[in-house]
Amino acid sequence: MNRRVRRKLARKSKGNVVQSSFPEVQDEVLDLETQRQGVVDWKCLPDDTVIQLLSCLSYRDRASLSSTCKTWRSLGSLPCLWSSLDLRSHRFDAGMASSLAPRCVHLQKLRFRGAESADAIIHLQARNLRELSGDYCRKITDATLSVIVARHEFLESLQLGPDFCERISSDAIKAIAHCCPKLNKLRLSGIRDVNADAINALAKHCSKLTDIGFIDCLNVDEVALGNVLSVRFLSVAGTSSMKWGVVSHLWHKLPNLIGLDVSRTDIGPSALLRMLSLSQNLRVLIALSCPILEEDTSFSASKYKSKLLISLRTDIFKGLASLFFDNTKRGKNVFLDWRTSKNNDKDLNEIIPWLEWMLSHTLLRSAENPQQGLDSFWVEQGGALLLSLMQSSQEDVQERAATGLATFVVIDDENASIDCGRAEAVMRDGGIRLLLGLAKSWREGLQSEAAKAIANLSVNANVAKAVAEEGGIEILAGLARSMNKLVAEEAAGGLWNLSVGEEHKGAIAEAGGIQALVDLIFKWSSSGDGVLERAAGALANLAADDKCSTEVATAGGVHALVMLARNCKFEGVQEQAARALANLAAHGDSNSNNAAVGQEAGALDALVQLTRSPHEGVRQEAAGALWNLSFDDRNREAIAAAGGVQALVALAQACANASPGLQERAAGALWGLSVSETNSVAIGREGGVAPLIALARSEAEDVHETAAGALWNLAFNASNALRIVEEGGVSALVDLCSSSVSKMARFMAALALAYMFDGRMDEYALVGTSSESISKSVSLDGARRMALKHIEAFVLMFSDPQAFAAAAASSAPAALAQVTEGACIQEAGHLRCSGAEIGRFITMLRNPSSILKACAAFALLQFTIPGGRHAMHHASLMQSLGAPRVLRGAAAAATAPLEAKIFARIVLRNLEYHQIEQTLV
């Protein structure tokens, strides 16, 4: 998440805030439906109705619908449908401009994005253009802007921002003045130097210029601004290096000035009071986020009753209400109240749109650059102001307000952390319903910004619940199908955040969200890192649910995600794709999903390659995916064939200082691969023992478990067992066995030690010269004594003397059940052993060591406890290997320890239980 961060109008009903602008269209359609008994011949619609329908659509949909027949093609080209264009979300170059030119003869309003689009504007040949607005203007030059204004002499409004226009200078402003005599609104952001010559040229040539904004500029000539006598609204918000003494002595003389914005500047109390007291016509002064002003606790402007000061310390809603109405006890919808009132104040008709624009701009800037000490302002006033501005009649104000909401709740982009107090304040003030209303607009700019705000707010669980209850999931799923990449990206982000909640996953699937997300990946596979990361992230969350996981696979998600893992070079996409594949392999019809991922062409090779990524998050998720996939026998061998052993050993060797999550998954993937003895030998040969021992010494409980599991599997092989001894692994396993917080880690460490010292390694170690054999023998004796001591201590931890005494004295099931209850390690029921491993424990029951006998019986008890995931499998293996006879011998042996006897009796009882269960199946 970052701060950046369905083509029909809503019908009038409870909860909708966006209503049809053309009720007469609905009436005519209903008439036709009545005439034709519910069947509408769309080709027979009146031309006026078709034109109104087309005007409700985005440009892409309008063009698509116009292509359906000759009549509609003709109507779709009418100039009245092309008086306004918003090209920000489209690739707009000279070629597209030339193709649009025949339709743009009467174009009056144009919004564009970026320098390439600016260069193409002249090719539209829209000589009648009145309003021009652009953003992402950093690379627009004086030459480009000068050519644009020279070709559009009827311009009345020019706005460039809010990002800085770094390559535009005063020379371009002079060109504007000379070429656009009808200009009445000029708002430019981030100009380095607005000099006196440029401003005086505006004063001389643009006699109708009433609205000036030099916002976030480095230097503006204050004296020259005092010469623009026509100005009614002036903003220097965010502009540095202002000489406020000069300002206060000159600007109050501007005869027509009624609105002034000095927000985010270093204006002080004296200059501000001078403007309020001496400026005859000034009605509104905005001074938000002015540090010097706010530091002066004695400052007050209450005596200037006829003038409205908007600052962080004032009651903004009360002040706005006093400007509009006699009654100041209005709610927080003062802008909406004013629009619905019958107010004939001409000045107010100009003040309100200006106020909305400036407030939305300043609030967004303040949200993007958070200051200390503004929490109470945002919760009490700032959020509500943004919600009020979202109901403006100005589309750009609505967009900025929605973006402000998306931004002001964010605390930490990287960790998707938001301020819960602010988010819930938005919810309490009805913000969710308002945002969803904007998201249903046909205007793609509003769709995108509203979806972004919904996505960020939905990080909060209470807000996510409200979004779902208000139908937000269906709306976002619809927007995810948009042909506009920005809209689809923000909608996917919303589904990503909502899919964190288990209670929303099913609703996303029901709304068609899974198919929409999969389709997004195919649609933008080569050109949309942001949309791909969000889509893959949402699918990763959904794949963690069994039912949704199956649906993701059915919808083509495996192929889509593998394609991303193979081809995309963006780390965020790789990480989420690998995480999604890991979840798919572990959930749903896990056997089917696991096999499907492994059998997808290039999947395993791609994941193995991703373990070598320079980005830790990618390595972690790739290792996690390989770990889950290794539970399938065919996948396990295919991973090894794809170089997985070498890659994962290298990963384990490199992650000594990595996060516990990466350490756990690296060890887990090696644990999964080492189930195969061939792989186990290969891991030992490639140097995998030493890093696993190092990971066994980790402080993280989860890492203990996976490292102990991997070492347990490796220790089955005598050569690996010897490597573990030689690399100092006995002490690491002993530490795990005696002190790990995890019962599972202690259990598997004990089993690894039992494998290592049941006699097989001794035979392997004695191969060699006599001197080497003697040395190894001496070394192994010390390690054996230490290992057996801690194995015994571990088993005794599960041996309650009273329960054992009762079980020894009675053969009653209740006595054995009490021992079982105390000895059971719940998680051990998930372990699955091979026939060879079970056979080794059965053999261990005959080992001369009483400690190993007890350990073997304890292990077999864990593997056969009824209810364990693989208990039936283990019982079947034991029956085929003749375990009952050995167990009866162990239970009856006079020299066997009590623990071994009791545990053996319990295992026999378990085998009888499973045999009965099997006959009933």
Side-chain angles (χ1 to χ4, degrees):
M1 182 184 66
N2 57 42
R3 296 180 191 256
R4 285 178 280 153
V5 298
R6 174 184 292 113
R7 319 287 189 213
K8 64 178 180 181
L9 296 166
R11 295 189 181 277
K12 185 175 181 180
S13 61
K14 183 179 179 181
N16 287 338
V17 295
V18 180
Q19 299 177 5
S20 175
S21 302
F22 302 102
E24 64 273 19
V25 176
Q26 188 175 349
D27 293 340
E28 291 187 46
V29 172
L30 289 174
D31 288 342
L32 281 168
E33 286 180 334
T34 302
Q35 293 168 15
R36 296 179 176 271
Q37 298 180 336
V39 179
V40 179
D41 184 353
W42 294 98
K43 293 182 291 184
C44 294
L45 284 174
D47 288 355
D48 288 347
T49 302
V50 176
I51 291 169
Q52 288 173 337
L53 283 170
L54 290 170
S55 70
C56 297
L57 301 176
S58 67
Y59 310 114
R60 183 186 290 107
D61 290 347
R62 189 183 302 166
S64 178
L65 193 58
S66 297
S67 67
T68 56
C69 67
K70 184 176 181 181
T71 301
W72 284 28
R73 188 178 300 114
S74 175
L75 292 173
S77 301
L78 289 175
C80 63
L81 291 172
W82 299 92
S83 61
S84 174
L85 267 181
D86 183 351
L87 297 169
R88 290 173 299 163
S89 60
H90 303 275
R91 173 75 182 274
F92 180 60
D93 53 20
M96 178 181 286
S98 297
S99 67
L100 287 173
R103 303 181 183 186
C104 295
V105 175
H106 298 285
L107 184 66
Q108 295 195 1
K109 183 177 180 180
L110 177 64
R111 299 183 74 179
F112 71 94
R113 175 167 289 162
E116 183 182 18
S117 295
D119 290 335
I121 288 173
I122 58 171
H123 298 284
L124 282 175
Q125 300 179 29
R127 307 289 299 201
N128 294 306
L129 196 64
R130 298 295 193 272
E131 298 180 34
L132 183 62
S133 176
D135 55 24
Y136 289 79
C137 299
R138 290 183 182 274
K139 295 183 179 180
I140 296 178
T141 63
D142 280 355
T144 297
L145 186 53
S146 297
V147 170
I148 289 172
V149 297
R151 299 286 185 91
H152 302 95
E153 63 271 19
F154 296 112
L155 270 182
E156 297 173 2
S157 172
L158 176 61
Q159 301 181 80
L160 300 178
D163 49 316
F164 294 176
C165 304
E166 297 174 343
R167 301 176 68 179
I168 294 176
S169 71
S170 291
D171 291 339
I173 297 174
K174 284 189 282 186
I176 294 168
H178 287 289
C179 296
C180 304
K182 297 181 180 294
L183 196 68
N184 62 46
K185 183 189 296 179
L186 177 65
R187 295 172 183 163
L188 303 175
S189 295
I191 308 294
R192 292 184 181 277
D193 180 42
V194 185
N195 62 30
D197 287 347
I199 296 172
N200 287 331
L202 291 171
K204 180 179 179 181
H205 298 287
C206 301
S207 59
K208 297 181 179 180
L209 186 59
T210 60
D211 186 337
I212 297 177
F214 292 128
I215 302 168
D216 293 312
C217 297
L218 292 179
N219 184 53
V220 176
D221 193 292
E222 307 89 346
V223 176
L225 274 175
N227 298 330
V228 189
L229 302 182
S230 61
V231 70
R232 292 169 62 79
F233 301 98
L234 177 60
S235 175
V236 289
T239 294
S240 56
S241 305
M242 297 292 294
K243 301 180 181 67
W244 293 110
V246 174
V247 167
S248 63
H249 282 84
L250 287 178
W251 289 7
H252 72 84
K253 299 176 184 178
L254 289 168
N256 298 302
L257 186 66
I258 59 174
L260 175 62
D261 184 8
V262 295
S263 299
R264 300 182 293 110
T265 66
D266 58 356
I267 192 171
S270 59
L272 192 140
L273 288 174
R274 187 174 177 83
M275 287 298 303
L276 287 172
S277 62
L278 297 179
S279 185
Q280 295 299 311
N281 295 315
L282 187 66
R283 295 186 63 177
V284 180
L285 200 161
I286 310 174
L288 290 168
S289 298
C290 297
I292 295 176
L293 186 66
E294 287 144 17
E295 287 169 6
D296 189 339
T297 56
S298 63
F299 173 77
S300 173
S302 58
K303 65 179 180 179
Y304 303 105
K305 301 293 184 183
S306 61
K307 296 180 173 68
L308 171 62
L309 173 65
I310 297 176
S311 72
L312 294 181
R313 287 191 179 176
T314 62
D315 186 331
I316 297 174
F317 286 104
K318 183 178 179 180
L320 289 170
S322 70
L323 184 66
F324 307 151
F325 307 103
D326 294 333
N327 176 14
T328 59
K329 294 182 180 179
R330 295 268 173 167
K332 295 181 177 181
N333 287 323
V334 287
F335 290 118
L336 183 61
D337 290 343
W338 174 81
R339 276 192 294 277
T340 56
S341 68
K342 296 179 180 179
N343 196 313
N344 296 319
D345 187 326
K346 182 182 176 182
D347 283 350
L348 279 180
N349 290 338
E350 295 180 353
I351 289 172
I352 304 306
W354 178 81
L355 252 179
E356 289 181 333
W357 199 98
M358 292 303 164
L359 285 174
S360 66
H361 189 282
T362 289
L363 289 171
L364 176 56
R365 274 284 190 252
S366 297
E368 290 172 335
N369 302 283
Q371 296 174 258
Q372 295 292 327
L374 289 186
D375 284 347
S376 60
F377 166 76
W378 283 117
V379 172
E380 294 167 13
Q381 297 198 92
L385 268 172
L386 289 169
L387 291 176
S388 182
L389 292 167
M390 277 193 347
Q391 301 171 76
S392 170
S393 58
Q394 302 177 79
E395 185 183 345
D396 54 346
V397 170
Q398 290 180 303
E399 286 183 23
R400 270 196 299 276
T403 308
L405 283 173
T407 305
F408 95 109
V409 296
V410 176
I411 296 173
D412 183 352
D413 291 348
E414 282 296 316
N415 297 310
S417 176
I418 68 168
D419 187 303
C420 292
R422 296 181 185 182
E424 294 188 10
V426 171
M427 180 177 66
R428 284 193 302 272
D429 288 336
I432 302 307
R433 188 169 293 181
L434 286 171
L435 284 165
L436 291 173
L438 287 187
K440 290 188 285 187
S441 165
W442 65 268
R443 293 184 173 90
E444 292 175 333
L446 289 177
Q447 291 175 351
S448 173
E449 298 309 318
K452 181 191 300 181
I454 293 165
N456 286 2
L457 289 163
S458 295
V459 172
N460 177 275
N462 292 329
V463 176
K465 182 180 178 183
V467 169
E469 289 174 349
E470 293 285 350
I473 288 175
E474 291 81 2
I475 292 171
L476 290 171
L479 293 179
R481 300 183 185 96
S482 173
M483 294 298 294
N484 183 315
K485 186 171 71 173
L486 294 178
V487 174
E489 179 175 326
E490 300 302 348
L495 293 173
W496 187 4
N497 288 342
L498 284 164
S499 63
V500 171
E502 294 298 322
E503 66 274 26
H504 303 312
K505 291 177 179 177
I508 292 172
E510 289 175 13
I514 289 177
Q515 189 65 63
L517 290 164
V518 171
D519 291 344
L520 270 184
I521 293 175
F522 290 119
K523 188 185 299 180
W524 305 107
S525 59
S526 60
S527 61
D529 293 344
V531 69
L532 294 176
E533 179 180 12
R534 287 162 175 76
L539 289 172
N541 287 348
L542 292 163
D545 173 86
D546 286 341
K547 185 176 179 182
C548 291
S549 182
T550 301
E551 189 165 334
V552 171
T554 304
V558 172
H559 180 61
L561 292 162
V562 169
M563 178 182 69
L564 292 183
R566 292 181 65 186
N567 301 328
C568 188
K569 303 304 179 186
F570 179 60
E571 63 182 271
V573 178
Q574 293 175 337
E575 181 176 343
Q576 297 308 322
R579 185 169 73 92
L581 291 170
N583 285 344
L584 277 172
H587 295 86
D589 183 352
S590 56
N591 291 334
S592 173
N593 282 0
N594 199 309
V597 174
Q599 290 167 20
E600 181 69 31
L604 300 180
D605 294 282
L607 289 167
V608 168
Q609 189 60 38
L610 290 180
T611 63
R612 302 185 176 99
S613 167
H615 306 288
E616 180 170 318
V618 178
R619 297 197 300 273
Q620 176 174 312
E621 299 303 341
L626 291 171
W627 180 11
N628 289 348
L629 288 164
S630 68
F631 284 93
D632 179 90
D633 294 341
R634 285 178 297 179
N635 286 345
R636 190 183 307 123
E637 303 314 315
I639 291 168
V645 169
Q646 295 83 351
L648 289 166
V649 167
L651 180 62
Q653 290 170 336
C655 70
N657 298 315
S659 67
L662 175 55
Q663 292 179 337
E664 178 198 8
R665 287 163 176 79
L670 287 172
W671 181 11
L673 287 184
S674 63
V675 168
S676 155
E677 189 167 7
T678 302
N679 290 344
S680 177
V681 172
I683 290 169
R685 189 173 56 246
E686 292 293 333
V689 169
L692 284 169
I693 292 171
L695 291 176
R697 294 191 170 101
S698 167
E699 295 180 2
E701 176 183 342
D702 290 340
V703 181
H704 289 176
E705 290 187 8
T706 54
L711 289 169
W712 172 35
N713 280 354
L714 291 179
F716 187 85
N717 176 269
S719 61
N720 281 337
L722 187 57
R723 285 191 181 97
I724 294 171
V725 175
E726 292 171 342
E727 295 286 353
V730 173
S731 61
L733 289 167
V734 160
D735 288 342
L736 281 186
C737 187
S738 59
S739 60
S740 176
V741 177
S742 165
K743 283 185 182 180
M744 276 291 284
R746 298 205 307 270
F747 177 51
M748 291 186 290
L751 297 188
L753 290 169
Y755 276 175
M756 291 163 63
F757 296 105
D758 68 351
R760 297 192 187 186
M761 181 180 66
D762 299 27
E763 299 170 8
Y764 181 83
L766 290 174
V767 176
T769 64
S770 58
S771 58
E772 287 175 340
S773 299
I774 293 169
S775 174
K776 287 178 182 177
S777 177
V778 172
S779 173
L780 289 178
D781 283 343
R784 180 184 293 104
R785 284 193 297 272
M786 180 168 61
L788 293 178
K789 174 184 174 182
H790 286 86
I791 292 172
E792 181 180 29
F794 169 74
V795 173
L796 289 174
M797 289 174 64
F798 297 87
S799 307
D800 177 36
Q802 289 183 336
F804 271 75
S810 168
S811 59
L816 293 178
Q818 187 178 357
V819 173
T820 303
E821 185 178 347
C824 177
I825 300 174
Q826 199 71 38
E827 300 90 337
H830 295 286
L831 296 173
R832 181 183 175 94
C833 296
S834 66
E837 290 171 309
I838 293 294
R840 188 153 178 179
F841 286 116
I842 293 171
T843 302
M844 211 180 288
L845 289 170
R846 295 171 171 153
N847 194 284
S849 168
S850 61
I851 294 172
L852 290 179
K853 285 178 181 176
C855 180
F858 180 77
L860 292 172
L861 181 152
Q862 302 299 333
F863 299 147
T864 58
I865 289 178
R869 185 175 180 183
H870 303 292
M872 187 78 78
H873 162 74
H874 294 144
S876 177
L877 290 176
M878 291 176 69
Q879 292 286 0
S880 65
L881 292 169
R885 182 170 56 83
V886 180
L887 286 163
R888 282 192 289 270
T895 57
L898 179 62
E899 291 79 24
K901 292 181 178 182
I902 301 299
F903 289 148
R905 284 171 57 192
I906 294 172
V907 176
L908 280 167
R909 184 165 167 266
N910 290 346
L911 292 180
E912 290 170 4
Y913 171 86
H914 291 301
Q915 198 164 22
I916 294 170
E917 285 290 304
Q918 202 164 20
T919 60
L920 296 175
V921 175

